[in-house]
Amino acid sequence: MKLSNMAVKNVKGNLYRYIMYCLSNAFAVTAFFIFANFVFHPAVDVRTADGHPVVRMGAANGMIISQVIIVIFSILFVGYSTSIFLKSRGKEFGLLSLYGMTRKQIKKYVLIENTIISILSIGTGILTGIVFSKLFFMIMEGFLGLALPLNISLKALGLTVVVFFTLFEIISIIMLFHIKDKEIIEQLKSSKIPKTIPKFSKPKAMLGIGLLLIGYITAWIVQGIAVPLAMIPVTLIVIIGTYFLFTQFSIAVANKILRNESILYKKTNLVAYSQMIFKLQDTAKVLFLASILGAITFTATGTIFSFYTESTRFTGLNTIHDMAIMQRGETLEDEVADSIEEILKKEDIKTNTIHKIKGAVLSNFTTEGTGKEQFVVISNTDYNKIVQSIGGKPIQIKENEIVYNFPHNTKQTMLSDKISEEDRHTNWDEIVLNINGEGMKFKLDKEVHGSIMALPSLGYYDALIFNDKDFDYAIKNIIEKDLFLFHGFKLENWRGSYEASMEIRRMLGDRYERSFYSKVMPYREVKRLYGLILFIGFFIAFLFLIASGSIIYFKLFNEIKQDGIEYGILNKIGTKKKEINKIITKQIGIIFFLPFVVSTFHSFFALKSLSNLLEGSLFKNGLIVMLGYSIFQIIYFIAIRGIYINKLKYN
């Protein structure tokens, strides 16, 4: 019989052994194909598609990054899974050697077998991807506002086949080097060789805990600009600490439990925990890798979710006015604002407050030292009206003095006049402004931060607040083209004003193309972009959880025969099936949830550090993300436990 025929018959006859391996590979192929099919979709072409190009470009780049991540996950998963396959088949290779097969023939046999499984995985993954592509496109239509009819890209199809077939073959060839020359009797008895008691280093175990504490404390206390500076060293410290946690400290704890009679001799703990130390030793590196990747995934998803839910604060959309229009020069008329009000009423959008501000744009008589050539000038009275409408403290400005208003706010509050020296933006104490060709000197009273009447399409102006008498003099003595009239609207439900905003934009026409602002328009784009990134993040996290859970299950499944023998002995001496299932649950649960718990702790402190940087709490959103992952993890664990117990034969 040819080796190829033997490999085909072996796969057919033992399909149950490879089903999880094949399906997990197929899942990775499915995800990659769906993303590739989206990237190559004709409607996503930045040059021709409708919608905001930044959003589309962000989506395409996100898909490409996701594909890279999927390939990385696939390398880790397939490599580890293949390694487990080979280690668990010592007896089979011994029998093949006994029948006269050489080491070279065994490697060829395994390579053919893996190639068959690879082809099945790729075929299954692509077919599943085609089936679910329409659903994926429907979700993307909601995020991007594009029409995405079902399209099967030949480029995506070819790329998926080439990438994954190459990937599977390279990994299979590399793993063949793990098949070593052994005596036939050694191979036949490979599954019966007793394991040695795992050893651990107490200093390394304590070093791991110490490094984690250092990393956690640093992440908790670091503030401001120090956060990005501390990020890399803290990450490295936590990674090293996590490695020692799984390879040394976990084994030390297991040893401690085995020596604690009050715990060990309680009900079925003797059986459940006696094997745990060996399982921890066998899976330590996998658990370490899973916990690090999990921490990165959870932290990234929690951060993106926070940006999604608080996008108005993090993206500069926390402006005082929800809608605004600025008229310059000869167009100073209230009719435009009246027309906007009529449209808002027609669309049932209630207006809470309207701020009408008359002002001017003045330039420096001398620009030396100020760093700015032009300023928006408003009166003390108008400024106080705006401040009082948001519960702020009004100010009083003396004649020949001014207050400088920096439009951005470093403290994430709407308006602030308590500015520290390090946050101050002015490096001058007086300024000379050009008023109708004459220089007028003003003394700087103080500096306030926060946008007053910014139109993002025109830029965030630096404003100067004048005493009312000085303001009246300036207005009367400047040319008409430097005057402006600003109307700012505060709406009761600005998130529902999109249709009204579009109608107002059409009504205003090209004349006010860059002078009209509605918060809901950039808000929808921001929400769409962050929503897309959030979806990608959740999808990648879902892929990771599936892959990591499959690796653990796969390892358990390959040892199921030996476990069946051990549980069969317990069954023969009178242990009830219910008690045996409890033992199984304890062993699987510890292996399954340990990296998840460690990842959660890492993410908790990482989010605290990011909160310090962004000056806002990410914990609430992080907890929501963690709760969602926990629910999925529990459901996945219950499913894997059920499959494992059903396949386990110990009667």
Side-chain angles (χ1 to χ4, degrees):
M1 181 182 291
K2 294 182 179 180
L3 289 176
S4 57
N5 293 335
M6 287 180 61
V8 172
K9 287 190 175 183
N10 185 57
V11 172
K12 287 182 179 179
N14 298 280
L15 191 60
Y16 72 94
R17 294 181 58 189
Y18 305 108
I19 192 69
M20 199 68 183
Y21 174 46
C22 185
L23 289 178
S24 298
N25 289 349
F27 180 79
V29 174
T30 299
F32 184 91
F33 174 74
I34 289 175
F35 283 152
N37 201 29
F38 173 80
V39 171
F40 289 113
H41 197 289
V44 185
D45 190 343
V46 178
R47 295 168 299 178
T48 59
D50 296 330
H52 200 291
V54 174
V55 176
R56 295 196 308 275
M57 181 64 75
N61 291 339
M63 296 299 113
I64 294 172
I65 294 172
S66 300
Q67 289 174 307
V68 174
I69 295 174
I70 291 170
V71 171
I72 294 173
F73 278 147
S74 300
I75 292 172
L76 297 174
F77 174 75
V78 176
Y80 183 74
S81 301
T82 306
S83 176
I84 294 176
F85 263 132
L86 297 179
K87 288 180 180 179
S88 66
R89 298 172 67 184
K91 185 176 180 180
E92 179 185 344
F93 296 152
L95 288 172
L96 293 175
S97 299
L98 187 63
Y99 293 150
M101 289 182 66
T102 64
R103 183 188 176 198
K104 183 177 180 181
Q105 289 176 318
I106 291 175
K107 287 186 176 182
K108 184 178 179 181
Y109 164 75
V110 172
L111 183 61
I112 294 172
E113 182 183 87
N114 284 344
T115 301
I116 295 170
I117 297 172
S118 299
I119 294 172
L120 290 174
S121 299
I122 293 172
T124 304
I126 289 176
L127 289 175
T128 307
I130 292 173
V131 171
F132 284 97
S133 283
K134 181 56 181 177
L135 176 62
F136 186 84
F137 287 165
M138 289 171 64
I139 296 173
M140 290 298 101
E141 284 178 346
F143 282 120
L144 298 178
L146 300 176
L148 295 173
L150 180 61
N151 177 75
I152 306 302
S153 170
L154 295 179
K155 291 182 180 179
L157 187 65
L159 180 65
T160 304
V161 172
V162 170
V163 167
F164 276 91
F165 186 78
T166 304
L167 174 66
F168 292 152
E169 290 300 294
I170 291 175
I171 292 176
S172 297
I173 292 171
I174 293 173
M175 289 301 166
L176 289 180
F177 290 100
H178 289 267
I179 301 178
K180 300 177 181 179
D181 288 322
K182 295 181 181 179
E183 295 293 335
I184 294 176
I185 189 66
E186 186 181 352
Q187 290 178 322
L188 292 173
K189 291 184 177 181
S190 60
S191 61
K192 298 181 180 180
I193 297 175
K195 297 179 180 179
T196 58
I197 299 295
K199 296 181 180 180
F200 68 93
S201 169
K202 189 173 181 179
K204 289 182 179 179
M206 292 299 100
L207 176 62
I209 297 299
L211 289 174
L212 287 178
L213 289 175
I214 292 172
Y216 286 166
I217 293 172
T218 305
W220 188 272
I221 64 175
V222 70
Q223 298 285 338
I225 192 64
V227 174
L229 296 176
M231 187 174 296
I232 293 178
V234 168
T235 302
L236 293 176
I237 288 172
V238 171
I239 289 175
I240 297 171
T242 306
Y243 178 80
F244 287 133
L245 176 71
F246 283 107
T247 59
Q248 305 295 327
F249 186 76
S250 63
I251 297 174
V253 172
N255 263 297
K256 190 74 173 177
I257 292 174
L258 291 178
R259 293 174 184 174
N260 191 320
E261 295 182 1
S262 61
I263 297 176
L264 191 64
Y265 296 136
K266 185 178 181 181
K267 295 184 178 181
T268 59
N269 285 352
L270 176 63
V271 179
Y273 294 144
S274 61
Q275 290 296 319
M276 183 51 59
I277 191 170
F278 298 107
K279 291 185 181 296
L280 286 173
Q281 182 190 39
D282 293 341
T283 58
K285 292 181 180 179
V286 174
L287 298 181
F288 155 71
L289 186 61
S291 65
I292 294 300
L293 292 176
I296 295 172
T297 304
F298 297 164
T299 303
T301 310
T303 304
I304 295 169
F305 183 63
S306 296
F307 273 92
Y308 178 75
T309 56
E310 301 184 39
S311 55
T312 55
R313 184 166 68 89
F314 286 139
T315 56
L317 295 178
N318 56 334
T319 54
I320 293 177
H321 301 109
D322 304 319
M323 187 178 291
I325 185 168
M326 178 180 282
Q327 304 166 68
R328 294 285 300 272
E330 298 176 357
T331 61
L332 303 184
E333 51 191 21
D334 291 332
E335 287 78 2
V336 175
D338 294 338
S339 300
I340 292 176
E341 283 190 78
E342 290 178 6
I343 294 175
L344 290 174
K345 288 180 181 179
K346 186 181 70 173
E347 295 293 333
D348 200 26
I349 305 297
K350 186 177 179 181
T351 303
N352 291 335
T353 309
I354 301 177
H355 289 133
K356 178 182 176 181
I357 302 174
K358 188 174 183 180
V361 178
L362 298 182
S363 59
N364 290 346
F365 197 79
T366 172
T367 59
E368 183 179 356
T370 63
K372 284 284 183 180
E373 293 185 1
Q374 285 189 325
F375 295 89
V376 167
V377 175
I378 63 173
S379 69
N380 193 166
T381 300
D382 285 337
Y383 176 83
N384 285 342
K385 286 180 181 178
I386 296 174
V387 170
Q388 289 175 320
S389 71
I390 60 172
K393 183 180 179 181
I395 61 176
Q396 297 299 325
I397 306 174
K398 299 177 182 178
E399 289 188 52
N400 298 319
E401 290 188 359
I402 58 171
V403 171
Y404 170 70
N405 174 222
F406 181 65
H408 304 288
N409 199 322
T410 56
K411 299 301 182 184
Q412 298 296 338
T413 55
M414 190 63 71
L415 285 170
S416 176
D417 60 355
K418 296 180 180 179
I419 308 302
S420 63
E421 283 298 320
E422 60 187 34
D423 291 329
R424 182 177 171 179
H425 284 264
T426 51
N427 58 357
W428 42 273
D429 295 320
E430 61 179 29
I431 188 173
V432 180
L433 296 175
N434 185 350
I435 299 178
N436 198 21
E438 295 182 5
M440 189 170 178
K441 184 184 292 186
F442 294 91
K443 181 182 177 182
L444 178 66
D445 178 28
K446 62 180 176 180
E447 182 175 321
V448 295
H449 287 187
S451 173
I452 298 299
M453 51 179 187
L455 288 176
S457 58
L458 293 174
Y460 286 84
Y461 288 111
D462 287 30
L464 298 177
I465 307 162
F466 275 31
N467 171 275
D468 288 351
K469 289 184 178 180
D470 291 335
F471 178 78
D472 291 338
Y473 174 81
I475 290 294
K476 292 176 182 178
N477 289 277
I478 62 174
I479 58 177
E480 191 175 27
K481 74 177 185 65
D482 289 332
L483 296 173
F484 71 80
L485 182 62
F486 176 89
H487 285 88
F489 300 83
K490 288 180 66 66
L491 308 179
E492 189 173 275
N493 178 26
W494 64 268
R495 289 179 176 85
S497 64
Y498 182 75
E499 296 299 329
S501 298
M502 295 301 293
E503 185 175 346
I504 292 170
R505 173 180 279 183
R506 288 192 293 269
M507 181 269 294
L508 294 173
D510 296 338
R511 183 181 180 184
Y512 293 98
E513 182 180 359
R514 292 178 56 82
S515 300
F516 171 71
Y517 168 71
S518 179
K519 187 191 294 186
V520 70
M521 293 180 176
Y523 171 79
R524 280 172 66 101
E525 292 295 340
V526 168
K527 276 287 187 180
R528 188 179 298 169
L529 177 59
Y530 281 122
L532 176 62
I533 297 173
L534 182 65
F535 174 77
I536 295 172
F538 276 130
F539 194 92
I540 293 299
F542 175 72
L543 173 64
F544 163 73
L545 292 174
I546 289 287
S548 59
S550 299
I551 289 175
I552 295 172
Y553 171 76
F554 187 63
K555 184 169 180 60
L556 293 171
F557 197 87
N558 274 273
E559 298 174 354
I560 197 168
K561 288 186 177 180
Q562 182 62 32
D563 290 344
I565 294 173
E566 295 174 1
Y567 294 131
I569 295 173
L570 292 176
N571 187 51
K572 289 177 181 178
I573 62 176
T575 307
K576 296 180 181 180
K577 185 176 181 180
K578 184 179 179 180
E579 296 297 325
I580 294 177
N581 288 346
K582 285 184 178 179
I583 295 172
I584 295 171
T585 301
K586 287 180 181 179
Q587 291 188 346
I588 297 177
I590 291 174
I591 297 297
F592 201 86
F593 285 103
L594 190 58
F596 183 82
V597 172
V598 174
S599 297
T600 302
F601 270 96
H602 289 355
S603 301
F604 177 81
F605 286 94
L607 289 174
K608 169 58 178 169
S609 184
L610 287 170
S611 297
N612 295 343
L613 176 64
L614 299 172
E615 298 178 345
S617 178
L618 304 183
F619 287 122
K620 181 181 177 181
N621 295 317
L623 288 174
I624 293 173
V625 171
M626 295 304 168
L627 179 61
Y629 285 146
S630 299
I631 294 172
F632 172 80
Q633 190 82 344
I634 292 170
I635 294 172
Y636 193 39
F637 166 73
I638 293 172
I640 286 181
R641 174 189 172 277
I643 296 172
Y644 180 80
I645 290 176
N646 288 334
K647 290 291 183 182
L648 187 66
K649 297 178 181 179
Y650 53 84
N651 295 325

